Amino acid sequence: MSQVEDCIKVISKSAKGFTPQVGLILGSGLGQFCEHIEVVASIDFEELPGFPVPGVSGHAGKLLLGKVSDTDIAILQGRAHYYERGKADTMAVAIQTLNAMGCQSLVITNAAGSLNSDATPGSLMLITDHINMTGVSPLFGAESNQRFVDMSEAYNHDLNDAMRSAAKANDINLHEGIYAWVSGPQFETPAEIRALKTLGADAVGMSTVPEVILARHQGLSLCALSVITNYAAGMSETALSHEQTISFSNQAADTVQSLLINYLKDQ
Ligand code: HPA
């Protein structure tokens, strides 16, 4: 039996017949969103074979199933990153499981550094496209011609529009732009940030892109949001740190929450 089938078995023991419409991956410091879910089941990643056990503070490592704004939802509270084990496919089983459970779409959130001075720390950015700076893919080793995934419209237009409408309804200033995926775990140098800016990036971060590729490989539609936690290297006097990432992400959590609650009303 595959790991995904094993996971589905574990999940159906705690949440028989539950079919989420939307999957949500919560980035660093956004765990408090889970307080708003009418919980049907909460399952530790450790109980789900192939799910990552997150090793970064700010990432809990739980699959939460329940309801938000009348939408059945599966939340991955926590993720693993490429920089943790040097493997880009650490989220493969988790994303395949969301697909196998019946999710029709995915919302991915992350923390990111801003390359634009008007997108200040604490603000939100809708990701409209990405640049993969790592040279790696979570699909290395995947078989069949399905591995040649079309990434030309990876970030779904209709879901982006739904996120824009939700932001408008809540009076949230939602920036938009291109997310550059870097491996980390070290932050970038100012020279790297200048290079990324020349390439057209608006934000930079160490996650999300492998999940986007894996989701598109499964045929899942998606949209993605960055919480801007800092100006990128060389753009401000403040030293970069994970503590700053968590602190700004926590500060933006209320805004993200209102945005997602509104977005989920129409899904
Ligand atoms: N760079 C990379 N990843 C990040 C940053 C950054 O400035 N901020 C939050 N995640």
Side-chain angles (χ1 to χ4, degrees), residues 43-219:
I43 305 165
D44 286 342
F45 282 0
E46 273 124 346
E47 292 175 47
L48 298 164
F51 270 55
V53 179
V56 183
S57 65
H59 289 271
K62 274 188 196 328
L63 173 68
L64 271 185
L65 305 174
K67 215 182 247 312
V68 178
S69 305
D70 275 337
T71 298
D72 286 334
I73 180 166
I75 303 183
L76 298 180
Q77 193 185 3
R79 57 153 61 93
H81 305 80
Y82 174 53
Y83 61 73
E84 291 174 55
R85 287 182 190 80
K87 288 195 161 79
D89 66 351
T90 45
M91 294 294 283
V93 170
I95 289 180
Q96 287 161 13
T97 301
L98 290 181
N99 189 47
M101 289 176 79
C103 284
Q104 285 151 29
S105 64
L106 194 58
V107 179
I108 306 178
T109 62
N110 64 36
S114 174
L115 278 69
N116 291 334
S117 46
D118 59 344
T120 54
S123 64
L124 304 185
M125 186 188 96
L126 179 69
I127 302 178
T128 53
D129 206 346
H130 73 231
I131 304 173
N132 178 352
M133 294 301 297
T134 66
V136 300
S137 167
L139 300 180
F140 284 169
E143 284 161 16
S144 95
N145 285 348
Q146 263 185 300
R147 75 186 116 177
F148 301 111
V149 178
D150 181 359
M151 295 296 290
S152 48
E153 288 189 13
Y155 300 84
N156 185 276
H157 289 304
D158 292 338
L159 300 181
N160 286 349
D161 276 345
M163 201 57 87
R164 291 180 185 111
S165 304
K168 211 168 172 193
N170 276 40
D171 237 348
I172 294 167
N173 182 15
L174 185 61
H175 298 278
E176 297 196 9
I178 314 289
Y179 174 88
W181 176 39
V182 293
S183 71
Q186 74 288 347
F187 287 105
E188 302 68 44
T189 62
E192 286 167 340
I193 292 302
R194 285 193 297 276
L196 289 176
K197 183 125 180 119
T198 306
L199 289 176
D202 298 290
V204 59
M206 306 175 194
S207 67
T208 301
V209 167
E211 294 144 28
V212 169
I213 297 168
L214 288 163
R216 293 308 302 141
H217 185 235
Q218 295 294 303

